[in-house]
Amino acid sequence: MDTDIGALTVVFTEFYYWITVALMFLIHVGFCMYEVGASRQKNHLHTLLKNTMLIPLVTITWFFFGWWIYWAFAGGPGITGGIGHPDPSFAEASVPWSEGMGPRLDDRITGVFWAAFLLFAWTAASIVSGAVIERIRKFAFWMIAILIGSVTWSIDAAWGWSYGGWMVEILGYHDAYASGVIHAIAGGCALGVLVVLGPRLGKFAPDGTPRDIAPHNAWLVCIGLFMIYTGFWGFYVACNVPVATTDFIAGEMTGVTQTATTIYLTPTTLGAITMNFLMSLAGGLMIGYMVSKGDAFWTYSGGLAGVITASAGNDLYHPIQALIIGGIGTAIAYKMHFWVERRFKVDDAVGAVAVHGYAGFWGLVIAGFVLWGHPSSPYEGFATISPWGQFIGAIIMFWVLGFIPGWILAKILHGAGQLRIPREVELLGLDFGNMREAERARQEVLSTEQAAL
Amino acid sequence: MSTTPLDNWAVDLGDVTLIYPFVGQEKLMVIVAVVLWIAWHIWQVKFENNTYKEDIEKHATSENLRKATSGEL
């Protein structure tokens, strides 16, 4: 801040991340709209609050330990380095009692960077929320939200979504806009929970044939998904470092120039990711419309699946590649959703495992082939991008950090009788008591008004 | 006297770092916040379980269940 250009760079970066945070709020507006739209009328308030309250709970736990995990676990620990690898000062500054966590005039970036990461954490938790509607207890979901939002996503980001992550160094893992580190892990976690939670009553016929529990308001669902697209702009932009010199990157690059970079500090441009976001969205929408034969919900979901599939490499793809990859991922996600539903009797109420989990998983794998040999990092000694590195990375995201922790926590909650709502409440509807109280109050007011005539 | 590290702005701004109140009490603040967080969950799980119990006692009559499952409610 001691030169005009230095001050401008800092203030621009601060404002840049702040804008992304404001935009990413729209992801949550969208998730709430589409979950409520997908639920039946008797479960609206519960569905809305279940999602909304993950916001404060993930926020405070992100402050307590999620942020620290990100800075502490990049090396494993014990794989490429100990706690705080490669620069322990970041981890030390990220414990909740650190002076680095409070307002200070010599650091304008930590707060907005913390918030951008937190909004990713909300997104990961919110993805799980949609899959489990209409039968999970709030307490259970909020425990799961804290697990994925403030623990497992933070670990995966440290491992595979940081400039010093061991997965980047050893596997050449590349996931610039979070196909795996947000979407595959959240889809995997949702699947792990769903396996224990079980389907909604009536979802499957006695012979195992799945029944359609249609959204009560398809319009609200689709506009919710449109809102998520909008918030996704903030998500994409937040994945970049807006301005970096080669001195700041301090890698193998030379030259007196500046660039935007990915989280790995590899150069890209906002222009590149903007074109690729739109082209992968287009590919997803077109194929979503085609494979679902014009179903509105799956067309919109297809748009999202398209972006998610291409996200791993959207810093580098040609727009035509982003278009095709988005389309391929959407077709895979759609087909896998219905296959898993029929084969394993998994009731994923909003297709979250498919749109986020399967699309994210295959997006990572595809990136391994399309970006084969590209340097994953500006630093010497890091592996290049490869199909095997991406495949192992996809397994780690979906299964190791997604499915397994979700399944274990769901089992614990189930064992304690705290996972699923009572059968009678599920039949009556989670809002039954509230609706009765509201009706009783309405009748009282009407009676009073009639008496006043 | 100030709760913050500053009691006037007659300073070289380049030297100013922390600006929040009660610097040095961060660990205590974290302990208070963690206790509040855990207490909230304990209250919430009890509240939620009681709500289900009350809903079942008050509303889960065979008539209501029949109406709910036949689409009359």
Side-chain angles (χ1 to χ4, degrees):
Chain A
M1 297 287 280
D2 50 357
T3 63
D4 286 349
I5 192 69
L8 275 175
T9 303
V10 169
V11 172
F12 170 76
T13 304
E14 182 183 26
F15 189 65
Y16 173 97
Y17 285 116
W18 181 84
I19 287 285
T20 70
V21 172
L23 270 174
M24 282 193 280
F25 255 81
L26 293 176
I27 294 177
H28 256 270
V29 178
F31 270 124
C32 283
M33 287 170 75
Y34 114 111
E35 274 186 44
V36 171
S39 68
R40 287 164 289 182
Q41 219 148 9
K42 61 182 183 178
N43 297 316
H44 279 176
L45 290 175
H46 178 278
T47 303
L48 181 62
L49 278 176
K50 173 176 67 61
N51 190 311
T52 301
M53 288 303 292
L54 75 84
I55 292 175
L57 296 171
V58 173
T59 299
I60 58 173
T61 49
W62 185 253
F63 188 93
F64 292 153
F65 44 78
W67 184 234
W68 173 78
I69 289 171
Y70 177 73
W71 291 107
F73 284 16
I79 299 173
T80 54
I83 296 276
H85 171 84
D87 184 347
S89 68
F90 289 125
E92 286 161 17
S94 302
V95 293
W97 53 84
S98 158
E99 290 181 348
M101 294 294 279
R104 51 187 304 152
L105 296 190
D106 58 342
D107 175 12
R108 291 159 196 273
I109 305 302
T110 294
V112 284
F113 207 46
W114 175 89
F117 272 66
L118 168 64
L119 270 285
F120 296 160
W122 292 3
T123 301
S126 204
I127 290 165
V128 181
S129 178
V132 296
I133 56 171
E134 302 197 305
R135 75 276 206 204
I136 198 167
R137 287 173 185 248
K138 291 195 193 90
F139 172 77
F141 173 70
W142 293 335
M143 290 295 108
I144 293 161
I146 290 168
L147 172 74
I148 185 165
S150 292
V151 181
T152 51
W153 129 256
S154 194
I155 293 172
D156 88 20
W159 289 2
W161 204 67
S162 74
Y163 72 95
W166 74 263
M167 287 175 63
V168 186
E169 187 170 346
I170 293 176
L171 301 174
Y173 181 77
H174 188 80
D175 189 11
Y177 303 97
S179 292
V181 296
I182 288 291
H183 300 287
I185 188 178
C189 181
L191 186 61
V193 174
L194 286 171
V195 166
V196 184
L197 180 64
R200 288 168 290 178
L201 294 173
K203 173 64 186 175
F204 293 97
D207 68 354
T209 308
R211 297 188 182 111
D212 186 26
I213 300 179
H216 95 278
N217 187 335
W219 168 241
L220 193 65
V221 171
C222 293
I223 293 301
L225 283 161
F226 225 144
M227 195 70 82
I228 293 172
Y229 297 170
T230 311
F232 229 126
W233 285 107
F235 185 99
Y236 254 56
V237 172
C239 291
N240 274 8
V241 175
V243 186
T245 62
T246 53
D247 283 347
F248 173 81
I249 295 167
E252 294 186 298
M253 284 177 277
T254 58
V256 184
T257 184
Q258 304 206 7
T259 180
T261 76
T262 66
I263 198 74
Y264 308 112
L265 301 179
T266 51
T268 186
T269 70
L270 266 186
I273 68 169
T274 302
M275 288 177 81
N276 286 342
F277 179 99
L278 291 167
M279 290 294 270
S280 52
L281 176 71
L285 281 166
M286 289 167 72
I287 296 299
Y289 182 86
M290 196 171 85
V291 294
S292 71
K293 298 187 171 56
D295 177 85
F297 173 74
W298 278 103
T299 301
Y300 272 90
S301 294
L304 200 55
V307 175
I308 290 165
T309 311
S311 287
N314 260 350
D315 55 325
L316 297 166
Y317 293 148
H318 184 279
I320 304 283
Q321 294 163 350
L323 174 85
I324 293 168
I325 291 166
I328 291 170
T330 299
I332 293 172
Y334 181 83
K335 296 290 179 191
M336 281 186 73
H337 171 77
F338 290 103
W339 181 77
V340 169
E341 184 179 83
R342 279 192 309 274
R343 176 74 179 78
F344 299 102
K345 312 292 174 253
V346 169
D347 176 15
D348 176 3
V350 296
V353 178
V355 170
H356 299 274
Y358 308 148
F361 184 100
W362 290 108
L364 290 171
V365 176
I366 292 167
F369 287 96
V370 180
L371 303 177
W372 199 340
H374 186 82
S376 67
S377 165
Y379 302 115
E380 191 180 1
F382 277 57
T384 56
I385 301 169
S386 68
W388 50 88
Q390 292 294 104
F391 184 72
I392 295 167
I395 298 282
I396 291 171
M397 294 301 157
F398 188 93
W399 292 106
V400 178
L401 291 173
F403 183 93
I404 293 172
W407 184 85
I408 291 171
L409 182 54
K411 274 283 185 191
I412 293 168
L413 289 162
H414 176 68
Q418 293 296 326
L419 182 65
R420 187 160 179 143
I421 59 173
R423 188 180 174 84
E424 295 92 333
V425 174
E426 188 172 348
L427 289 170
L428 289 171
L430 281 150
D431 297 343
F432 191 88
N434 288 3
M435 286 159 67
R436 274 296 160 101
E437 284 301 309
E439 180 58 22
R440 190 187 57 74
R442 193 179 76 92
Q443 290 298 340
E444 270 185 26
V445 172
L446 284 174
S447 305
T448 311
E449 285 176 345
Q450 281 169 354
L453 280 175
Chain B
M1 175 65 186
S2 168
T3 55
T4 73
L6 290 163
D7 48 20
N8 64 70
W9 281 109
V11 294
D12 179 338
L13 203 53
D15 295 335
V16 178
T17 58
L18 306 174
I19 53 171
Y20 56 87
F22 305 114
V23 169
Q25 300 302 313
E26 291 84 358
K27 281 188 178 160
L28 180 64
M29 289 191 278
V30 171
I31 290 167
V32 169
V34 169
V35 168
L36 288 173
W37 167 54
I38 292 169
W40 188 90
H41 281 294
I42 293 168
W43 168 82
Q44 189 278 324
V45 72
K46 285 181 182 170
F47 168 72
E48 186 175 11
N49 288 340
N50 285 339
T51 304
Y52 294 142
K53 199 175 155 194
E54 280 175 21
D55 276 355
I56 291 169
E57 283 169 4
K58 271 193 200 169
H59 305 300
T61 61
S62 52
E63 178 66 4
N64 279 344
L65 288 168
R66 187 192 63 73
K67 283 183 179 175
T69 50
S70 63
E72 290 176 47
L73 285 175

